Amino acid sequence: MTYVEKVLAQLKERNPGEPEFHQAATEILLTLKPVIERHPEYERAALLERFTEPERVVMFRVPWVDDKGKVHVNRGYRVQFNSAIGPYKGGLRFHPSVNLSVIKFLGLEQILKNSLTGLPIGGGKGGSDFDPKGKSDREVMAFCQSFMTELYRHIGADTDVPAGDIGVGAREIGYLYGQYKRIRDEHTGVLTGRGLSYGGSLIRKEATGYGLIYMTEEAMRVRGDSFEGKTVLISGSGNVAIYACEKVQTLGGKVVAMYDSDGCIYDEKGIDLAVVKQIKEEERGRIKEYAARVPGSVYKPGCKNIWDIPCDVALPCATQNEIDAESAEKLIKNGVKYVAEGANMPSTLEAIEIFRRAGVVFLPAKAANAGGVATSALEMAQSSGRMFWTAEQVDVKLKEIMVNIYHNIDRAAKDYGFDGDYVMGANIAGFEKVADAMMAQGIV
Ligand code: NDP
Ligand code: 2IT
């Protein structure tokens, strides 16, 4: 058994019942074999054992009272995974499917993603099994205040800086920040994705979606290709999906389908994004409404069949494991050329293998969706400097970062003899910097 296989087997044994964490660790560790072969000193320093063991895991009770006076108890998490290259940084997810396995897979991915941005941020992730859907603003506020009443003691602008993820947007960040400030009595960059009136950065809201498209555009450009005239599928209809759609449309692509967890809309003429924004951002409604408002569009209950629709570009922007082997086969049969992951781990290990064998240009999440956290780091820089950059300044930096990441993962893949394999490239390029920093800092 090689060192990598031994660490992976131990990880599965030590962390039973955590399938998402096993999946992310398997994908990452197996691609690191050639790096380990070049660096035998890593095994002597138990580097992979340390890399896959979170520095700290916090789990806590979050009690809150609903509008009818009923008391609820949710579970809160913060996994502070790796601080070798900077303070822990990563989002908070509020969704009923959240458990320790989900937060650990997201945290592990975040370490390498944050390294790829080239900015000084370590990896962390947190969240709760609380479901903000269908709750009143007061209920969401009550939950956020209770959540922060425990979380505040573990975070700080130079220690750990949470942000949004599924179910955590501007409203939740506002309530969380308000409670942090009230307890600590200080204004700091302790959360990113803040509103513009209290320290947020321009373009943070758009950054993950825009960044995804900037990287895909670069992968197209080097192949003499572009978004012009391309048919695009985007899963989800949340923050990442909406701003990916916006950028695709400005580059001349046609987005024909989006979804939420109830069902999928198909609009042959191209999605009218203003209608989607109105429904999702203003009304917090369901995507089904779109078909009622836009003549010629159709709604299909159940969201998985989005991948049956023929397209040139597929952009999964909802959640983990939304593209399985069957969906990957369908996409390939229908001629997909590019798959770029806006969501975290949206493709199963089998689906990735199918894309790889078919020669699809596959841009993995930790590279393709790094624009969000990169812009969070730009928000941290603005907070520390007590100043703001213009939207154009932030957007230029974001684009530069995404283009750089593309070339770094391309170079790392080539360097190790895996030309065009961006899963290898992203894991290797992300890991090299973290490994170097961990080795330099001794056994900690
Ligand atoms: P939002 O909460 O804004 O939107 C999530 C979207 O995905 C909604 O349309 C939601 O539908 C759908 N969705 C969520 N869970 C499921 C599910 N189990 N099955 C089907 N659909 C689902 O989240 P974001 O747009 O912020 O996040 C989307 C993805 O992007 C996540 O994987 C996140 O980790 C990743 N990401 C986000 C970043 C950010 O900056 N926000 C940065 C990098 C990655 P419904 O409303 O019905 O639940
Ligand atoms: O998955 C992610 O990178 C995010 N949810 C964004 C994290 C951040 O700190 O901006």
mmCIF file with all atom_site columns, all heavy atoms in Angstrom, residues 275-289:
data_model
loop_
_atom_site.group_PDB
_atom_site.id
_atom_site.type_symbol
_atom_site.label_atom_id
_atom_site.label_alt_id
_atom_site.label_comp_id
_atom_site.label_asym_id
_atom_site.label_entity_id
_atom_site.label_seq_id
_atom_site.pdbx_PDB_ins_code
_atom_site.Cartn_x
_atom_site.Cartn_y
_atom_site.Cartn_z
_atom_site.occupancy
_atom_site.B_iso_or_equiv
_atom_site.pdbx_formal_charge
_atom_site.auth_seq_id
_atom_site.auth_comp_id
_atom_site.auth_asym_id
_atom_site.auth_atom_id
_atom_site.pdbx_PDB_model_num
ATOM 1   N N   . VAL A 1 275 ? -36.480 38.443 -14.587 1.00 0.00 ? 275 VAL A N   1
ATOM 2   C CA  . VAL A 1 275 ? -37.602 37.736 -13.966 1.00 0.00 ? 275 VAL A CA  1
ATOM 3   C C   . VAL A 1 275 ? -37.083 36.801 -12.858 1.00 0.00 ? 275 VAL A C   1
ATOM 4   O O   . VAL A 1 275 ? -37.642 36.745 -11.762 1.00 0.00 ? 275 VAL A O   1
ATOM 5   C CB  . VAL A 1 275 ? -38.412 36.942 -15.034 1.00 0.00 ? 275 VAL A CB  1
ATOM 6   C CG1 . VAL A 1 275 ? -39.523 36.133 -14.374 1.00 0.00 ? 275 VAL A CG1 1
ATOM 7   C CG2 . VAL A 1 275 ? -38.978 37.886 -16.085 1.00 0.00 ? 275 VAL A CG2 1
ATOM 8   N N   . VAL A 1 276 ? -35.985 36.101 -13.139 1.00 0.00 ? 276 VAL A N   1
ATOM 9   C CA  . VAL A 1 276 ? -35.404 35.206 -12.120 1.00 0.00 ? 276 VAL A CA  1
ATOM 10  C C   . VAL A 1 276 ? -34.986 36.013 -10.895 1.00 0.00 ? 276 VAL A C   1
ATOM 11  O O   . VAL A 1 276 ? -35.267 35.627 -9.745  1.00 0.00 ? 276 VAL A O   1
ATOM 12  C CB  . VAL A 1 276 ? -34.192 34.432 -12.683 1.00 0.00 ? 276 VAL A CB  1
ATOM 13  C CG1 . VAL A 1 276 ? -33.521 33.596 -11.593 1.00 0.00 ? 276 VAL A CG1 1
ATOM 14  C CG2 . VAL A 1 276 ? -34.603 33.531 -13.846 1.00 0.00 ? 276 VAL A CG2 1
ATOM 15  N N   . LYS A 1 277 ? -34.322 37.155 -11.118 1.00 0.00 ? 277 LYS A N   1
ATOM 16  C CA  . LYS A 1 277 ? -33.882 37.984 -9.976  1.00 0.00 ? 277 LYS A CA  1
ATOM 17  C C   . LYS A 1 277 ? -35.077 38.462 -9.158  1.00 0.00 ? 277 LYS A C   1
ATOM 18  O O   . LYS A 1 277 ? -35.037 38.451 -7.920  1.00 0.00 ? 277 LYS A O   1
ATOM 19  C CB  . LYS A 1 277 ? -33.089 39.199 -10.473 1.00 0.00 ? 277 LYS A CB  1
ATOM 20  C CG  . LYS A 1 277 ? -31.664 38.887 -10.875 1.00 0.00 ? 277 LYS A CG  1
ATOM 21  C CD  . LYS A 1 277 ? -30.929 40.191 -11.173 1.00 0.00 ? 277 LYS A CD  1
ATOM 22  C CE  . LYS A 1 277 ? -29.501 39.966 -11.573 1.00 0.00 ? 277 LYS A CE  1
ATOM 23  N NZ  . LYS A 1 277 ? -28.795 41.208 -11.937 1.00 0.00 ? 277 LYS A NZ  1
ATOM 24  N N   . GLN A 1 278 ? -36.123 38.897 -9.858  1.00 0.00 ? 278 GLN A N   1
ATOM 25  C CA  . GLN A 1 278 ? -37.320 39.362 -9.162  1.00 0.00 ? 278 GLN A CA  1
ATOM 26  C C   . GLN A 1 278 ? -37.872 38.242 -8.255  1.00 0.00 ? 278 GLN A C   1
ATOM 27  O O   . GLN A 1 278 ? -38.145 38.455 -7.077  1.00 0.00 ? 278 GLN A O   1
ATOM 28  C CB  . GLN A 1 278 ? -38.375 39.810 -10.197 1.00 0.00 ? 278 GLN A CB  1
ATOM 29  C CG  . GLN A 1 278 ? -39.735 40.192 -9.633  1.00 0.00 ? 278 GLN A CG  1
ATOM 30  C CD  . GLN A 1 278 ? -39.691 41.420 -8.720  1.00 0.00 ? 278 GLN A CD  1
ATOM 31  O OE1 . GLN A 1 278 ? -38.855 42.316 -8.906  1.00 0.00 ? 278 GLN A OE1 1
ATOM 32  N NE2 . GLN A 1 278 ? -40.555 41.460 -7.708  1.00 0.00 ? 278 GLN A NE2 1
ATOM 33  N N   . ILE A 1 279 ? -37.982 37.032 -8.820  1.00 0.00 ? 279 ILE A N   1
ATOM 34  C CA  . ILE A 1 279 ? -38.564 35.911 -8.059  1.00 0.00 ? 279 ILE A CA  1
ATOM 35  C C   . ILE A 1 279 ? -37.646 35.490 -6.908  1.00 0.00 ? 279 ILE A C   1
ATOM 36  O O   . ILE A 1 279 ? -38.084 35.330 -5.772  1.00 0.00 ? 279 ILE A O   1
ATOM 37  C CB  . ILE A 1 279 ? -38.813 34.691 -8.983  1.00 0.00 ? 279 ILE A CB  1
ATOM 38  C CG1 . ILE A 1 279 ? -39.864 35.034 -10.045 1.00 0.00 ? 279 ILE A CG1 1
ATOM 39  C CG2 . ILE A 1 279 ? -39.230 33.458 -8.181  1.00 0.00 ? 279 ILE A CG2 1
ATOM 40  C CD1 . ILE A 1 279 ? -39.958 34.018 -11.181 1.00 0.00 ? 279 ILE A CD1 1
ATOM 41  N N   . LYS A 1 280 ? -36.345 35.315 -7.213  1.00 0.00 ? 280 LYS A N   1
ATOM 42  C CA  . LYS A 1 280 ? -35.451 34.721 -6.211  1.00 0.00 ? 280 LYS A CA  1
ATOM 43  C C   . LYS A 1 280 ? -34.878 35.747 -5.226  1.00 0.00 ? 280 LYS A C   1
ATOM 44  O O   . LYS A 1 280 ? -34.779 35.473 -4.041  1.00 0.00 ? 280 LYS A O   1
ATOM 45  C CB  . LYS A 1 280 ? -34.294 33.959 -6.876  1.00 0.00 ? 280 LYS A CB  1
ATOM 46  C CG  . LYS A 1 280 ? -34.700 32.840 -7.809  1.00 0.00 ? 280 LYS A CG  1
ATOM 47  C CD  . LYS A 1 280 ? -35.659 31.822 -7.212  1.00 0.00 ? 280 LYS A CD  1
ATOM 48  C CE  . LYS A 1 280 ? -35.050 30.822 -6.283  1.00 0.00 ? 280 LYS A CE  1
ATOM 49  N NZ  . LYS A 1 280 ? -35.987 29.728 -5.943  1.00 0.00 ? 280 LYS A NZ  1
ATOM 50  N N   . GLU A 1 281 ? -34.488 36.923 -5.747  1.00 0.00 ? 281 GLU A N   1
ATOM 51  C CA  . GLU A 1 281 ? -33.831 37.894 -4.855  1.00 0.00 ? 281 GLU A CA  1
ATOM 52  C C   . GLU A 1 281 ? -34.843 38.793 -4.139  1.00 0.00 ? 281 GLU A C   1
ATOM 53  O O   . GLU A 1 281 ? -34.652 39.127 -2.975  1.00 0.00 ? 281 GLU A O   1
ATOM 54  C CB  . GLU A 1 281 ? -32.845 38.772 -5.644  1.00 0.00 ? 281 GLU A CB  1
ATOM 55  C CG  . GLU A 1 281 ? -31.658 37.986 -6.176  1.00 0.00 ? 281 GLU A CG  1
ATOM 56  C CD  . GLU A 1 281 ? -30.552 38.834 -6.792  1.00 0.00 ? 281 GLU A CD  1
ATOM 57  O OE1 . GLU A 1 281 ? -30.838 39.929 -7.347  1.00 0.00 ? 281 GLU A OE1 1
ATOM 58  O OE2 . GLU A 1 281 ? -29.396 38.430 -6.747  1.00 0.00 ? 281 GLU A OE2 1
ATOM 59  N N   . GLU A 1 282 ? -35.893 39.196 -4.858  1.00 0.00 ? 282 GLU A N   1
ATOM 60  C CA  . GLU A 1 282 ? -36.853 40.138 -4.251  1.00 0.00 ? 282 GLU A CA  1
ATOM 61  C C   . GLU A 1 282 ? -37.929 39.403 -3.454  1.00 0.00 ? 282 GLU A C   1
ATOM 62  O O   . GLU A 1 282 ? -38.246 39.773 -2.337  1.00 0.00 ? 282 GLU A O   1
ATOM 63  C CB  . GLU A 1 282 ? -37.536 40.987 -5.337  1.00 0.00 ? 282 GLU A CB  1
ATOM 64  C CG  . GLU A 1 282 ? -36.578 41.811 -6.202  1.00 0.00 ? 282 GLU A CG  1
ATOM 65  C CD  . GLU A 1 282 ? -35.771 42.804 -5.388  1.00 0.00 ? 282 GLU A CD  1
ATOM 66  O OE1 . GLU A 1 282 ? -36.322 43.387 -4.446  1.00 0.00 ? 282 GLU A OE1 1
ATOM 67  O OE2 . GLU A 1 282 ? -34.568 42.976 -5.708  1.00 0.00 ? 282 GLU A OE2 1
ATOM 68  N N   . GLU A 1 283 ? -38.508 38.355 -4.085  1.00 0.00 ? 283 GLU A N   1
ATOM 69  C CA  . GLU A 1 283 ? -39.685 37.730 -3.469  1.00 0.00 ? 283 GLU A CA  1
ATOM 70  C C   . GLU A 1 283 ? -39.342 36.491 -2.653  1.00 0.00 ? 283 GLU A C   1
ATOM 71  O O   . GLU A 1 283 ? -40.209 35.941 -1.981  1.00 0.00 ? 283 GLU A O   1
ATOM 72  C CB  . GLU A 1 283 ? -40.693 37.345 -4.568  1.00 0.00 ? 283 GLU A CB  1
ATOM 73  C CG  . GLU A 1 283 ? -41.137 38.548 -5.410  1.00 0.00 ? 283 GLU A CG  1
ATOM 74  C CD  . GLU A 1 283 ? -41.893 38.129 -6.686  1.00 0.00 ? 283 GLU A CD  1
ATOM 75  O OE1 . GLU A 1 283 ? -42.355 36.974 -6.777  1.00 0.00 ? 283 GLU A OE1 1
ATOM 76  O OE2 . GLU A 1 283 ? -42.001 38.978 -7.595  1.00 0.00 ? 283 GLU A OE2 1
ATOM 77  N N   . ARG A 1 284 ? -38.095 35.992 -2.750  1.00 0.00 ? 284 ARG A N   1
ATOM 78  C CA  . ARG A 1 284 ? -37.707 34.710 -2.132  1.00 0.00 ? 284 ARG A CA  1
ATOM 79  C C   . ARG A 1 284 ? -38.713 33.615 -2.527  1.00 0.00 ? 284 ARG A C   1
ATOM 80  O O   . ARG A 1 284 ? -39.157 32.822 -1.710  1.00 0.00 ? 284 ARG A O   1
ATOM 81  C CB  . ARG A 1 284 ? -37.628 34.820 -0.595  1.00 0.00 ? 284 ARG A CB  1
ATOM 82  C CG  . ARG A 1 284 ? -36.531 35.751 -0.130  1.00 0.00 ? 284 ARG A CG  1
ATOM 83  C CD  . ARG A 1 284 ? -36.400 35.765 1.385   1.00 0.00 ? 284 ARG A CD  1
ATOM 84  N NE  . ARG A 1 284 ? -35.428 36.765 1.792   1.00 0.00 ? 284 ARG A NE  1
ATOM 85  C CZ  . ARG A 1 284 ? -34.106 36.542 1.845   1.00 0.00 ? 284 ARG A CZ  1
ATOM 86  N NH1 . ARG A 1 284 ? -33.618 35.360 1.548   1.00 0.00 ? 284 ARG A NH1 1
ATOM 87  N NH2 . ARG A 1 284 ? -33.276 37.504 2.203   1.00 0.00 ? 284 ARG A NH2 1
ATOM 88  N N   . GLY A 1 285 ? -39.084 33.626 -3.816  1.00 0.00 ? 285 GLY A N   1
ATOM 89  C CA  . GLY A 1 285 ? -40.096 32.689 -4.317  1.00 0.00 ? 285 GLY A CA  1
ATOM 90  C C   . GLY A 1 285 ? -39.479 31.451 -4.934  1.00 0.00 ? 285 GLY A C   1
ATOM 91  O O   . GLY A 1 285 ? -38.286 31.174 -4.759  1.00 0.00 ? 285 GLY A O   1
ATOM 92  N N   . ARG A 1 286 ? -40.301 30.687 -5.641  1.00 0.00 ? 286 ARG A N   1
ATOM 93  C CA  . ARG A 1 286 ? -39.848 29.439 -6.255  1.00 0.00 ? 286 ARG A CA  1
ATOM 94  C C   . ARG A 1 286 ? -39.710 29.628 -7.767  1.00 0.00 ? 286 ARG A C   1
ATOM 95  O O   . ARG A 1 286 ? -40.455 30.387 -8.386  1.00 0.00 ? 286 ARG A O   1
ATOM 96  C CB  . ARG A 1 286 ? -40.837 28.302 -5.956  1.00 0.00 ? 286 ARG A CB  1
ATOM 97  C CG  . ARG A 1 286 ? -41.154 28.131 -4.475  1.00 0.00 ? 286 ARG A CG  1
ATOM 98  C CD  . ARG A 1 286 ? -39.926 27.910 -3.601  1.00 0.00 ? 286 ARG A CD  1
ATOM 99  N NE  . ARG A 1 286 ? -39.196 26.701 -3.951  1.00 0.00 ? 286 ARG A NE  1
ATOM 100 C CZ  . ARG A 1 286 ? -37.900 26.501 -3.650  1.00 0.00 ? 286 ARG A CZ  1
ATOM 101 N NH1 . ARG A 1 286 ? -37.196 27.422 -3.013  1.00 0.00 ? 286 ARG A NH1 1
ATOM 102 N NH2 . ARG A 1 286 ? -37.318 25.378 -4.009  1.00 0.00 ? 286 ARG A NH2 1
ATOM 103 N N   . ILE A 1 287 ? -38.797 28.902 -8.373  1.00 0.00 ? 287 ILE A N   1
ATOM 104 C CA  . ILE A 1 287 ? -38.491 29.086 -9.795  1.00 0.00 ? 287 ILE A CA  1
ATOM 105 C C   . ILE A 1 287 ? -39.687 28.720 -10.686 1.00 0.00 ? 287 ILE A C   1
ATOM 106 O O   . ILE A 1 287 ? -39.818 29.196 -11.808 1.00 0.00 ? 287 ILE A O   1
ATOM 107 C CB  . ILE A 1 287 ? -37.220 28.273 -10.187 1.00 0.00 ? 287 ILE A CB  1
ATOM 108 C CG1 . ILE A 1 287 ? -36.563 28.857 -11.431 1.00 0.00 ? 287 ILE A CG1 1
ATOM 109 C CG2 . ILE A 1 287 ? -37.511 26.801 -10.383 1.00 0.00 ? 287 ILE A CG2 1
ATOM 110 C CD1 . ILE A 1 287 ? -35.877 30.157 -11.250 1.00 0.00 ? 287 ILE A CD1 1
ATOM 111 N N   . LYS A 1 288 ? -40.582 27.915 -10.160 1.00 0.00 ? 288 LYS A N   1
ATOM 112 C CA  . LYS A 1 288 ? -41.818 27.537 -10.852 1.00 0.00 ? 288 LYS A CA  1
ATOM 113 C C   . LYS A 1 288 ? -42.577 28.764 -11.375 1.00 0.00 ? 288 LYS A C   1
ATOM 114 O O   . LYS A 1 288 ? -43.183 28.746 -12.450 1.00 0.00 ? 288 LYS A O   1
ATOM 115 C CB  . LYS A 1 288 ? -42.684 26.780 -9.841  1.00 0.00 ? 288 LYS A CB  1
ATOM 116 C CG  . LYS A 1 288 ? -43.944 26.216 -10.374 1.00 0.00 ? 288 LYS A CG  1
ATOM 117 C CD  . LYS A 1 288 ? -44.668 25.497 -9.266  1.00 0.00 ? 288 LYS A CD  1
ATOM 118 C CE  . LYS A 1 288 ? -45.962 24.905 -9.827  1.00 0.00 ? 288 LYS A CE  1
ATOM 119 N NZ  . LYS A 1 288 ? -46.696 24.209 -8.794  1.00 0.00 ? 288 LYS A NZ  1
ATOM 120 N N   . GLU A 1 289 ? -42.520 29.847 -10.587 1.00 0.00 ? 289 GLU A N   1
ATOM 121 C CA  . GLU A 1 289 ? -43.190 31.104 -10.934 1.00 0.00 ? 289 GLU A CA  1
ATOM 122 C C   . GLU A 1 289 ? -42.785 31.624 -12.312 1.00 0.00 ? 289 GLU A C   1
ATOM 123 O O   . GLU A 1 289 ? -43.530 32.324 -12.974 1.00 0.00 ? 289 GLU A O   1
ATOM 124 C CB  . GLU A 1 289 ? -42.799 32.184 -9.905  1.00 0.00 ? 289 GLU A CB  1
ATOM 125 C CG  . GLU A 1 289 ? -43.597 32.151 -8.654  1.00 0.00 ? 289 GLU A CG  1
ATOM 126 C CD  . GLU A 1 289 ? -45.030 32.538 -8.944  1.00 0.00 ? 289 GLU A CD  1
ATOM 127 O OE1 . GLU A 1 289 ? -45.253 33.622 -9.508  1.00 0.00 ? 289 GLU A OE1 1
ATOM 128 O OE2 . GLU A 1 289 ? -45.922 31.716 -8.643  1.00 0.00 ? 289 GLU A OE2 1
#
